[in-house]
Amino acid sequence: INICFITDHVFCVLIACSVTLTSVNQRLMSILPQTLLRRFAIILLCLYCTVSQAQNPTAPTRLTTEVSRDAVVIAWSAATDDDGVGGYNLYRNDQYFSTVFSTEAELSLADGLGQTFYVVSFDNPSAGETRAYSTRSDSITVQDNSSPTEPNPPLVSINQPPAAPTVLSARRESPNSVEILWSGATDDSLVAGYNVYRDNDYVATVFDTQYTDTSVAADTLYGYYIIAFDEPRLFSGRSAIVFAKEAVGSVTVIGQTGTEVTPPTPTPTPTPTPVIDTIAPAKVNGLTVSAMSASAITLTWQADSSDDTVRGYNVYRNDEYVTTVFTTEFQDTEVPRDDSVRYNVVAFDYSPNFSVQSETLLVGLGEPSVDTTGSQPGTPNVLLVSNDWVEFQWQPVSGATAYKVYRDGKLLYTVSPDDSVAEGQKFWETNSYIDCNSTRFYEQCLLDAPESGETYHYHVTAINSSGAESLAKQALKVTLRSNQRTNIQALLNDFSLVFNDDFTGTQLDASKWNTRLPWGPDTIINGEQQYFVDIQNSPDFGYDPFSLTGNSLTIEGVATPDTLSNAAAGQPFLSGAITTRDSFNFTYGYVESRVKFAEGAGMLSSFFLFHQWAALNAPEIDIVEYLGEQPNRAFQTYHYRDERFNDALHSTPTMSVASDGNPFSDDFHVFSVLWEPDLVVWFIDGEEVLSIQGPEVARQRSYITMYLVLGSEWTQTPDINSGIFPGQFEIDYVRVYQRNN
């Protein structure tokens, strides 16, 4: 019986089954009745018939590749099959890639270079049969000339013409069209194409194993044959002639012997459905400079070991595409002559899907020479981001004598201990920088400030004692904030009122307010010229700066009477301050007050939140400050202490908002802030005007402070003869809301 499967012949099966029934030894006959043995023989015969009907095509052979400037061609010798070869499935890196109906496939360079392919053929099954597939061909790798690889095996010399196509079929599809199909020819190298002849006249050259002739007449018999050719143009003999009959729908099939056979009932040819990869590779990480010279920069990055579908990488210089590489390294030999250069890398897979851009690597190129062995400051960290400025900080480098700060490759500032500007000294002491601090560098910011909503890249390099500049690590990417259309009333639907004073009484509510600042009335700060009368603790002082009208509180500032000069520590003016220190403090919420400012030069009306304890970053949120000499502007500032560098005081640029042309002191206006984790948003009359975001936003309990300053380091001394006295800072109400959860 084993011989039957080896010889694959029906006659052998019948003989073997007969021998089995007549010569099996008596012992086996005693165990197995002849009826059972006959059934066994029949099963064997049926099994053979099944195997015979499902005979598979041969595997394609002699795979070759050809690489041109813009394409990869993979070709192979045609397979053979008793039912005719229907086509070929191409596999790349052991995954289905495409189906073709010729003996070659053309791919793009990105799809082909460096990849390993094999081919599986499939047949044209007769009616009732399932499609049969060959075993896989030998694999072949398309050599990537960008890196050394093992050479391809030598090709067989091309000196034999191809064999003639064998199995042909002709189908009259319509009165004026005939479809011709044939099995692929074989050749010792590569079949390039086929010439189609009709009634001994040349019709067309095709590069597939099918052709539809649309130039035939109805009710006319035609005979077709095919000639194959290879490169360099050796021609096969003529195939057998297949006749296209007159009737629409008629089919003629010529077998391998050239004899006509009964055509099978046509069945649709299924095309394998490929698995479509739509998942993009992960963002490239670890982009860095591995080597650098005066003429070249070598970049390296990390490969994603969890994703074996990554094919290659696109490299960008200063946001422009440079090249595609298939390793995790690129040497740039065309570095622009500039202060710095930016690089990004994008990974792509076989589909191809593309990753997002890597973080920007910004490399300084300025003089003096770049020190590739020196210490590098780490990527800067954001401290605060606002609408037109950003503050960031970096780790100090041992032995650094200065730092250079770059924005998008442009040198912004050299931070040095020798800086003559006080703000520059603070940059050095705290390893931080503000781009752009309009309070200290107004003209510079006027010309070159970052813009609201735009994205920028920052990096910092270190200068050593020999004057050499380090490389930069990955750039800090920052998008500046832009104002949103926040609906305050809708926002407060998620909040509850936790503090309120409408000042409807006849005197200040001592359960909510006190009239003494934490440092006391005798301590003078910021060069201020007023004395804050603590009327609650000194009711007999001789002057009360607070008056209530029944629906508002007014803080009045006056010149100090001679009789009170000693009590006022010699200060030329008297005024008042109120705080909720020790009575009400909170963390996060929405705070607002409706106020009318004191008018006139030298009058400074203030409404702010101050830290309850000098801990954490000891913040101060200035909700509004109003200078009488700048009647059309309202100012906002934020201060905090640096927890990493000796509690150094950081102050944001003094931000301001212009009025619509009328002085803010002409009428009441509502000033407020939304204070959330990592976020402060300022509003005027319900409209968002400014915001800051970042890890240095206040995060400790704070209390409310409101007062009227007369003369200070920031404002001029008020003129007592100017008619602005008494100065009046009027407060309609103060309210605090907090989120319900």
Side-chain angles (χ1 to χ4, degrees), residues 386-416:
S386 187
N387 298 62
D388 59 0
W389 58 267
V390 56
E391 182 179 25
F392 50 85
Q393 193 170 51
W394 58 91
Q395 288 287 351
V397 172
S398 177
T401 60
Y403 299 97
K404 288 189 175 183
V405 180
Y406 296 84
R407 182 217 297 154
D408 288 343
K410 178 180 180 181
L411 180 64
L412 291 178
Y413 201 83
T414 299
V415 178
S416 165

PDB file of all heavy atoms in Angstrom, residues 386-416:
ATOM      1  N   SER A 386       3.233  81.609  29.903  1.00  0.00           N
ATOM      2  CA  SER A 386       2.146  82.584  29.826  1.00  0.00           C
ATOM      3  C   SER A 386       1.824  82.864  28.366  1.00  0.00           C
ATOM      4  O   SER A 386       2.185  82.092  27.476  1.00  0.00           O
ATOM      5  CB  SER A 386       2.533  83.862  30.571  1.00  0.00           C
ATOM      6  OG  SER A 386       1.419  84.747  30.640  1.00  0.00           O
ATOM      7  N   ASN A 387       1.161  83.985  28.139  1.00  0.00           N
ATOM      8  CA  ASN A 387       0.720  84.307  26.781  1.00  0.00           C
ATOM      9  C   ASN A 387       1.856  84.809  25.896  1.00  0.00           C
ATOM     10  O   ASN A 387       1.834  84.583  24.685  1.00  0.00           O
ATOM     11  CB  ASN A 387      -0.391  85.359  26.821  1.00  0.00           C
ATOM     12  CG  ASN A 387      -1.614  84.869  27.556  1.00  0.00           C
ATOM     13  OD1 ASN A 387      -1.556  84.565  28.744  1.00  0.00           O
ATOM     14  ND2 ASN A 387      -2.740  84.802  26.878  1.00  0.00           N
ATOM     15  N   ASP A 388       2.832  85.507  26.480  1.00  0.00           N
ATOM     16  CA  ASP A 388       3.924  86.031  25.668  1.00  0.00           C
ATOM     17  C   ASP A 388       5.281  85.872  26.342  1.00  0.00           C
ATOM     18  O   ASP A 388       6.228  86.588  26.024  1.00  0.00           O
ATOM     19  CB  ASP A 388       3.679  87.506  25.304  1.00  0.00           C
ATOM     20  CG  ASP A 388       3.538  88.395  26.526  1.00  0.00           C
ATOM     21  OD1 ASP A 388       3.619  87.885  27.663  1.00  0.00           O
ATOM     22  OD2 ASP A 388       3.354  89.611  26.359  1.00  0.00           O
ATOM     23  N   TRP A 389       5.394  84.945  27.280  1.00  0.00           N
ATOM     24  CA  TRP A 389       6.691  84.646  27.893  1.00  0.00           C
ATOM     25  C   TRP A 389       6.669  83.238  28.459  1.00  0.00           C
ATOM     26  O   TRP A 389       5.616  82.656  28.702  1.00  0.00           O
ATOM     27  CB  TRP A 389       7.056  85.664  28.986  1.00  0.00           C
ATOM     28  CG  TRP A 389       6.071  85.768  30.113  1.00  0.00           C
ATOM     29  CD1 TRP A 389       5.032  86.637  30.210  1.00  0.00           C
ATOM     30  CD2 TRP A 389       6.018  84.950  31.304  1.00  0.00           C
ATOM     31  NE1 TRP A 389       4.331  86.435  31.376  1.00  0.00           N
ATOM     32  CE2 TRP A 389       4.922  85.403  32.076  1.00  0.00           C
ATOM     33  CE3 TRP A 389       6.778  83.900  31.797  1.00  0.00           C
ATOM     34  CZ2 TRP A 389       4.575  84.827  33.291  1.00  0.00           C
ATOM     35  CZ3 TRP A 389       6.440  83.322  33.014  1.00  0.00           C
ATOM     36  CH2 TRP A 389       5.355  83.793  33.744  1.00  0.00           C
ATOM     37  N   VAL A 390       7.876  82.683  28.644  1.00  0.00           N
ATOM     38  CA  VAL A 390       8.035  81.368  29.254  1.00  0.00           C
ATOM     39  C   VAL A 390       9.255  81.421  30.164  1.00  0.00           C
ATOM     40  O   VAL A 390      10.263  82.052  29.840  1.00  0.00           O
ATOM     41  CB  VAL A 390       8.197  80.267  28.182  1.00  0.00           C
ATOM     42  CG1 VAL A 390       9.357  80.566  27.251  1.00  0.00           C
ATOM     43  CG2 VAL A 390       8.411  78.908  28.830  1.00  0.00           C
ATOM     44  N   GLU A 391       9.163  80.780  31.328  1.00  0.00           N
ATOM     45  CA  GLU A 391      10.289  80.686  32.245  1.00  0.00           C
ATOM     46  C   GLU A 391      10.692  79.218  32.368  1.00  0.00           C
ATOM     47  O   GLU A 391       9.840  78.353  32.590  1.00  0.00           O
ATOM     48  CB  GLU A 391       9.926  81.251  33.619  1.00  0.00           C
ATOM     49  CG  GLU A 391      11.106  81.216  34.595  1.00  0.00           C
ATOM     50  CD  GLU A 391      10.767  81.786  35.966  1.00  0.00           C
ATOM     51  OE1 GLU A 391       9.564  81.779  36.338  1.00  0.00           O
ATOM     52  OE2 GLU A 391      11.689  82.225  36.668  1.00  0.00           O
ATOM     53  N   PHE A 392      11.985  78.929  32.214  1.00  0.00           N
ATOM     54  CA  PHE A 392      12.465  77.554  32.339  1.00  0.00           C
ATOM     55  C   PHE A 392      13.762  77.527  33.142  1.00  0.00           C
ATOM     56  O   PHE A 392      14.394  78.565  33.376  1.00  0.00           O
ATOM     57  CB  PHE A 392      12.644  76.896  30.967  1.00  0.00           C
ATOM     58  CG  PHE A 392      13.437  77.699  29.971  1.00  0.00           C
ATOM     59  CD1 PHE A 392      14.826  77.635  29.935  1.00  0.00           C
ATOM     60  CD2 PHE A 392      12.786  78.523  29.063  1.00  0.00           C
ATOM     61  CE1 PHE A 392      15.550  78.375  29.017  1.00  0.00           C
ATOM     62  CE2 PHE A 392      13.502  79.264  28.136  1.00  0.00           C
ATOM     63  CZ  PHE A 392      14.892  79.191  28.118  1.00  0.00           C
ATOM     64  N   GLN A 393      14.154  76.335  33.542  1.00  0.00           N
ATOM     65  CA  GLN A 393      15.297  76.163  34.434  1.00  0.00           C
ATOM     66  C   GLN A 393      16.062  74.914  34.020  1.00  0.00           C
ATOM     67  O   GLN A 393      15.489  73.967  33.472  1.00  0.00           O
ATOM     68  CB  GLN A 393      14.792  76.039  35.876  1.00  0.00           C
ATOM     69  CG  GLN A 393      15.842  76.156  36.960  1.00  0.00           C
ATOM     70  CD  GLN A 393      15.179  76.257  38.336  1.00  0.00           C
ATOM     71  OE1 GLN A 393      14.328  75.444  38.696  1.00  0.00           O
ATOM     72  NE2 GLN A 393      15.559  77.261  39.109  1.00  0.00           N
ATOM     73  N   TRP A 394      17.367  74.878  34.295  1.00  0.00           N
ATOM     74  CA  TRP A 394      18.181  73.730  33.946  1.00  0.00           C
ATOM     75  C   TRP A 394      19.074  73.343  35.122  1.00  0.00           C
ATOM     76  O   TRP A 394      19.311  74.141  36.038  1.00  0.00           O
ATOM     77  CB  TRP A 394      19.023  74.013  32.707  1.00  0.00           C
ATOM     78  CG  TRP A 394      19.939  75.197  32.852  1.00  0.00           C
ATOM     79  CD1 TRP A 394      21.231  75.218  33.298  1.00  0.00           C
ATOM     80  CD2 TRP A 394      19.602  76.571  32.550  1.00  0.00           C
ATOM     81  NE1 TRP A 394      21.722  76.492  33.294  1.00  0.00           N
ATOM     82  CE2 TRP A 394      20.750  77.351  32.842  1.00  0.00           C
ATOM     83  CE3 TRP A 394      18.454  77.200  32.068  1.00  0.00           C
ATOM     84  CZ2 TRP A 394      20.775  78.732  32.658  1.00  0.00           C
ATOM     85  CZ3 TRP A 394      18.481  78.568  31.899  1.00  0.00           C
ATOM     86  CH2 TRP A 394      19.626  79.326  32.186  1.00  0.00           C
ATOM     87  N   GLN A 395      19.576  72.110  35.081  1.00  0.00           N
ATOM     88  CA  GLN A 395      20.493  71.647  36.117  1.00  0.00           C
ATOM     89  C   GLN A 395      21.858  72.302  35.910  1.00  0.00           C
ATOM     90  O   GLN A 395      22.368  72.371  34.789  1.00  0.00           O
ATOM     91  CB  GLN A 395      20.645  70.122  36.054  1.00  0.00           C
ATOM     92  CG  GLN A 395      19.430  69.351  36.528  1.00  0.00           C
ATOM     93  CD  GLN A 395      19.260  69.410  38.039  1.00  0.00           C
ATOM     94  OE1 GLN A 395      20.136  69.886  38.748  1.00  0.00           O
ATOM     95  NE2 GLN A 395      18.112  68.956  38.513  1.00  0.00           N
ATOM     96  N   PRO A 396      22.477  72.795  36.994  1.00  0.00           N
ATOM     97  CA  PRO A 396      23.799  73.417  36.839  1.00  0.00           C
ATOM     98  C   PRO A 396      24.849  72.387  36.436  1.00  0.00           C
ATOM     99  O   PRO A 396      24.725  71.197  36.728  1.00  0.00           O
ATOM    100  CB  PRO A 396      24.076  73.984  38.233  1.00  0.00           C
ATOM    101  CG  PRO A 396      23.233  73.168  39.162  1.00  0.00           C
ATOM    102  CD  PRO A 396      22.003  72.804  38.390  1.00  0.00           C
ATOM    103  N   VAL A 397      25.886  72.852  35.747  1.00  0.00           N
ATOM    104  CA  VAL A 397      26.989  72.004  35.308  1.00  0.00           C
ATOM    105  C   VAL A 397      28.234  72.393  36.090  1.00  0.00           C
ATOM    106  O   VAL A 397      28.595  73.581  36.143  1.00  0.00           O
ATOM    107  CB  VAL A 397      27.236  72.164  33.794  1.00  0.00           C
ATOM    108  CG1 VAL A 397      28.505  71.426  33.371  1.00  0.00           C
ATOM    109  CG2 VAL A 397      26.041  71.654  33.015  1.00  0.00           C
ATOM    110  N   SER A 398      28.874  71.413  36.710  1.00  0.00           N
ATOM    111  CA  SER A 398      30.075  71.687  37.492  1.00  0.00           C
ATOM    112  C   SER A 398      31.162  72.267  36.598  1.00  0.00           C
ATOM    113  O   SER A 398      31.457  71.750  35.524  1.00  0.00           O
ATOM    114  CB  SER A 398      30.571  70.387  38.140  1.00  0.00           C
ATOM    115  OG  SER A 398      31.774  70.603  38.843  1.00  0.00           O
ATOM    116  N   GLY A 399      31.734  73.371  37.016  1.00  0.00           N
ATOM    117  CA  GLY A 399      32.813  74.002  36.264  1.00  0.00           C
ATOM    118  C   GLY A 399      32.358  74.949  35.181  1.00  0.00           C
ATOM    119  O   GLY A 399      33.192  75.569  34.508  1.00  0.00           O
ATOM    120  N   ALA A 400      31.047  75.090  34.979  1.00  0.00           N
ATOM    121  CA  ALA A 400      30.554  76.007  33.945  1.00  0.00           C
ATOM    122  C   ALA A 400      30.821  77.448  34.348  1.00  0.00           C
ATOM    123  O   ALA A 400      30.605  77.841  35.503  1.00  0.00           O
ATOM    124  CB  ALA A 400      29.075  75.794  33.702  1.00  0.00           C
ATOM    125  N   THR A 401      31.295  78.232  33.425  1.00  0.00           N
ATOM    126  CA  THR A 401      31.546  79.653  33.677  1.00  0.00           C
ATOM    127  C   THR A 401      30.456  80.538  33.082  1.00  0.00           C
ATOM    128  O   THR A 401      30.404  81.732  33.369  1.00  0.00           O
ATOM    129  CB  THR A 401      32.897  80.065  33.085  1.00  0.00           C
ATOM    130  OG1 THR A 401      32.888  79.825  31.669  1.00  0.00           O
ATOM    131  CG2 THR A 401      34.021  79.254  33.720  1.00  0.00           C
ATOM    132  N   ALA A 402      29.595  79.945  32.262  1.00  0.00           N
ATOM    133  CA  ALA A 402      28.472  80.679  31.662  1.00  0.00           C
ATOM    134  C   ALA A 402      27.568  79.664  30.972  1.00  0.00           C
ATOM    135  O   ALA A 402      27.934  78.498  30.780  1.00  0.00           O
ATOM    136  CB  ALA A 402      28.960  81.730  30.664  1.00  0.00           C
ATOM    137  N   TYR A 403      26.377  80.118  30.624  1.00  0.00           N
ATOM    138  CA  TYR A 403      25.427  79.300  29.864  1.00  0.00           C
ATOM    139  C   TYR A 403      24.900  80.130  28.700  1.00  0.00           C
ATOM    140  O   TYR A 403      24.687  81.350  28.831  1.00  0.00           O
ATOM    141  CB  TYR A 403      24.253  78.849  30.734  1.00  0.00           C
ATOM    142  CG  TYR A 403      24.641  78.008  31.917  1.00  0.00           C
ATOM    143  CD1 TYR A 403      24.792  78.584  33.177  1.00  0.00           C
ATOM    144  CD2 TYR A 403      24.855  76.643  31.792  1.00  0.00           C
ATOM    145  CE1 TYR A 403      25.154  77.819  34.279  1.00  0.00           C
ATOM    146  CE2 TYR A 403      25.207  75.865  32.881  1.00  0.00           C
ATOM    147  CZ  TYR A 403      25.358  76.459  34.123  1.00  0.00           C
ATOM    148  OH  TYR A 403      25.712  75.702  35.201  1.00  0.00           O
ATOM    149  N   LYS A 404      24.671  79.465  27.576  1.00  0.00           N
ATOM    150  CA  LYS A 404      24.044  80.129  26.436  1.00  0.00           C
ATOM    151  C   LYS A 404      22.639  79.574  26.248  1.00  0.00           C
ATOM    152  O   LYS A 404      22.445  78.354  26.246  1.00  0.00           O
ATOM    153  CB  LYS A 404      24.867  79.934  25.162  1.00  0.00           C
ATOM    154  CG  LYS A 404      26.163  80.732  25.159  1.00  0.00           C
ATOM    155  CD  LYS A 404      26.847  80.699  23.803  1.00  0.00           C
ATOM    156  CE  LYS A 404      28.068  81.610  23.793  1.00  0.00           C
ATOM    157  NZ  LYS A 404      28.726  81.653  22.460  1.00  0.00           N
ATOM    158  N   VAL A 405      21.687  80.485  26.078  1.00  0.00           N
ATOM    159  CA  VAL A 405      20.283  80.111  25.934  1.00  0.00           C
ATOM    160  C   VAL A 405      19.857  80.382  24.495  1.00  0.00           C
ATOM    161  O   VAL A 405      20.060  81.492  23.986  1.00  0.00           O
ATOM    162  CB  VAL A 405      19.397  80.903  26.913  1.00  0.00           C
ATOM    163  CG1 VAL A 405      17.937  80.501  26.743  1.00  0.00           C
ATOM    164  CG2 VAL A 405      19.858  80.686  28.351  1.00  0.00           C
ATOM    165  N   TYR A 406      19.260  79.354  23.852  1.00  0.00           N
ATOM    166  CA  TYR A 406      18.850  79.457  22.453  1.00  0.00           C
ATOM    167  C   TYR A 406      17.344  79.248  22.319  1.00  0.00           C
ATOM    168  O   TYR A 406      16.760  78.427  23.031  1.00  0.00           O
ATOM    169  CB  TYR A 406      19.552  78.401  21.597  1.00  0.00           C
ATOM    170  CG  TYR A 406      21.057  78.536  21.508  1.00  0.00           C
ATOM    171  CD1 TYR A 406      21.879  78.006  22.501  1.00  0.00           C
ATOM    172  CD2 TYR A 406      21.648  79.172  20.425  1.00  0.00           C
ATOM    173  CE1 TYR A 406      23.265  78.114  22.412  1.00  0.00           C
ATOM    174  CE2 TYR A 406      23.028  79.278  20.329  1.00  0.00           C
ATOM    175  CZ  TYR A 406      23.832  78.750  21.330  1.00  0.00           C
ATOM    176  OH  TYR A 406      25.192  78.850  21.228  1.00  0.00           O
ATOM    177  N   ARG A 407      16.732  80.003  21.405  1.00  0.00           N
ATOM    178  CA  ARG A 407      15.349  79.757  20.997  1.00  0.00           C
ATOM    179  C   ARG A 407      15.330  79.472  19.500  1.00  0.00           C
ATOM    180  O   ARG A 407      15.744  80.319  18.704  1.00  0.00           O
ATOM    181  CB  ARG A 407      14.443  80.951  21.283  1.00  0.00           C
ATOM    182  CG  ARG A 407      12.966  80.706  20.916  1.00  0.00           C
ATOM    183  CD  ARG A 407      12.299  81.943  20.346  1.00  0.00           C
ATOM    184  NE  ARG A 407      12.260  83.026  21.303  1.00  0.00           N
ATOM    185  CZ  ARG A 407      12.206  84.314  20.937  1.00  0.00           C
ATOM    186  NH1 ARG A 407      12.223  84.640  19.645  1.00  0.00           N
ATOM    187  NH2 ARG A 407      12.174  85.266  21.839  1.00  0.00           N
ATOM    188  N   ASP A 408      14.865  78.283  19.133  1.00  0.00           N
ATOM    189  CA  ASP A 408      14.815  77.886  17.726  1.00  0.00           C
ATOM    190  C   ASP A 408      16.151  78.138  17.021  1.00  0.00           C
ATOM    191  O   ASP A 408      16.200  78.614  15.884  1.00  0.00           O
ATOM    192  CB  ASP A 408      13.685  78.621  16.993  1.00  0.00           C
ATOM    193  CG  ASP A 408      12.315  78.101  17.388  1.00  0.00           C
ATOM    194  OD1 ASP A 408      12.257  76.995  17.951  1.00  0.00           O
ATOM    195  OD2 ASP A 408      11.319  78.794  17.145  1.00  0.00           O
ATOM    196  N   GLY A 409      17.238  77.813  17.726  1.00  0.00           N
ATOM    197  CA  GLY A 409      18.555  77.930  17.130  1.00  0.00           C
ATOM    198  C   GLY A 409      19.171  79.302  17.198  1.00  0.00           C
ATOM    199  O   GLY A 409      20.332  79.478  16.818  1.00  0.00           O
ATOM    200  N   LYS A 410      18.455  80.288  17.697  1.00  0.00           N
ATOM    201  CA  LYS A 410      18.984  81.651  17.780  1.00  0.00           C
ATOM    202  C   LYS A 410      19.421  81.937  19.206  1.00  0.00           C
ATOM    203  O   LYS A 410      18.676  81.692  20.161  1.00  0.00           O
ATOM    204  CB  LYS A 410      17.925  82.661  17.340  1.00  0.00           C
ATOM    205  CG  LYS A 410      18.398  84.108  17.440  1.00  0.00           C
ATOM    206  CD  LYS A 410      17.316  85.076  16.995  1.00  0.00           C
ATOM    207  CE  LYS A 410      17.797  86.509  17.092  1.00  0.00           C
ATOM    208  NZ  LYS A 410      16.745  87.470  16.672  1.00  0.00           N
ATOM    209  N   LEU A 411      20.626  82.456  19.359  1.00  0.00           N
ATOM    210  CA  LEU A 411      21.137  82.791  20.683  1.00  0.00           C
ATOM    211  C   LEU A 411      20.334  83.944  21.271  1.00  0.00           C
ATOM    212  O   LEU A 411      20.255  85.027  20.687  1.00  0.00           O
ATOM    213  CB  LEU A 411      22.612  83.163  20.600  1.00  0.00           C
ATOM    214  CG  LEU A 411      23.284  83.550  21.926  1.00  0.00           C
ATOM    215  CD1 LEU A 411      23.293  82.359  22.883  1.00  0.00           C
ATOM    216  CD2 LEU A 411      24.704  84.048  21.675  1.00  0.00           C
ATOM    217  N   LEU A 412      19.723  83.703  22.448  1.00  0.00           N
ATOM    218  CA  LEU A 412      18.941  84.742  23.116  1.00  0.00           C
ATOM    219  C   LEU A 412      19.748  85.509  24.150  1.00  0.00           C
ATOM    220  O   LEU A 412      19.664  86.736  24.240  1.00  0.00           O
ATOM    221  CB  LEU A 412      17.727  84.110  23.824  1.00  0.00           C
ATOM    222  CG  LEU A 412      16.611  83.544  22.967  1.00  0.00           C
ATOM    223  CD1 LEU A 412      15.541  82.925  23.856  1.00  0.00           C
ATOM    224  CD2 LEU A 412      15.987  84.625  22.088  1.00  0.00           C
ATOM    225  N   TYR A 413      20.535  84.754  24.955  1.00  0.00           N
ATOM    226  CA  TYR A 413      21.168  85.399  26.108  1.00  0.00           C
ATOM    227  C   TYR A 413      22.318  84.536  26.592  1.00  0.00           C
ATOM    228  O   TYR A 413      22.245  83.303  26.528  1.00  0.00           O
ATOM    229  CB  TYR A 413      20.141  85.571  27.231  1.00  0.00           C
ATOM    230  CG  TYR A 413      20.489  86.631  28.261  1.00  0.00           C
ATOM    231  CD1 TYR A 413      20.208  87.967  28.016  1.00  0.00           C
ATOM    232  CD2 TYR A 413      21.090  86.288  29.468  1.00  0.00           C
ATOM    233  CE1 TYR A 413      20.508  88.943  28.954  1.00  0.00           C
ATOM    234  CE2 TYR A 413      21.393  87.256  30.414  1.00  0.00           C
ATOM    235  CZ  TYR A 413      21.105  88.579  30.154  1.00  0.00           C
ATOM    236  OH  TYR A 413      21.401  89.548  31.079  1.00  0.00           O
ATOM    237  N   THR A 414      23.361  85.166  27.080  1.00  0.00           N
ATOM    238  CA  THR A 414      24.449  84.471  27.750  1.00  0.00           C
ATOM    239  C   THR A 414      24.341  84.748  29.240  1.00  0.00           C
ATOM    240  O   THR A 414      24.468  85.895  29.675  1.00  0.00           O
ATOM    241  CB  THR A 414      25.815  84.918  27.215  1.00  0.00           C
ATOM    242  OG1 THR A 414      25.899  84.622  25.814  1.00  0.00           O
ATOM    243  CG2 THR A 414      26.935  84.182  27.939  1.00  0.00           C
ATOM    244  N   VAL A 415      24.052  83.700  30.001  1.00  0.00           N
ATOM    245  CA  VAL A 415      23.880  83.828  31.449  1.00  0.00           C
ATOM    246  C   VAL A 415      25.253  83.689  32.091  1.00  0.00           C
ATOM    247  O   VAL A 415      25.926  82.665  31.927  1.00  0.00           O
ATOM    248  CB  VAL A 415      22.916  82.747  31.977  1.00  0.00           C
ATOM    249  CG1 VAL A 415      22.778  82.847  33.485  1.00  0.00           C
ATOM    250  CG2 VAL A 415      21.558  82.888  31.303  1.00  0.00           C
ATOM    251  N   SER A 416      25.651  84.723  32.824  1.00  0.00           N
ATOM    252  CA  SER A 416      27.017  84.767  33.338  1.00  0.00           C
ATOM    253  C   SER A 416      27.036  85.397  34.723  1.00  0.00           C
ATOM    254  O   SER A 416      26.228  86.290  35.023  1.00  0.00           O
ATOM    255  CB  SER A 416      27.902  85.582  32.383  1.00  0.00           C
ATOM    256  OG  SER A 416      29.122  85.942  32.986  1.00  0.00           O
TER     257      SER A 416
END
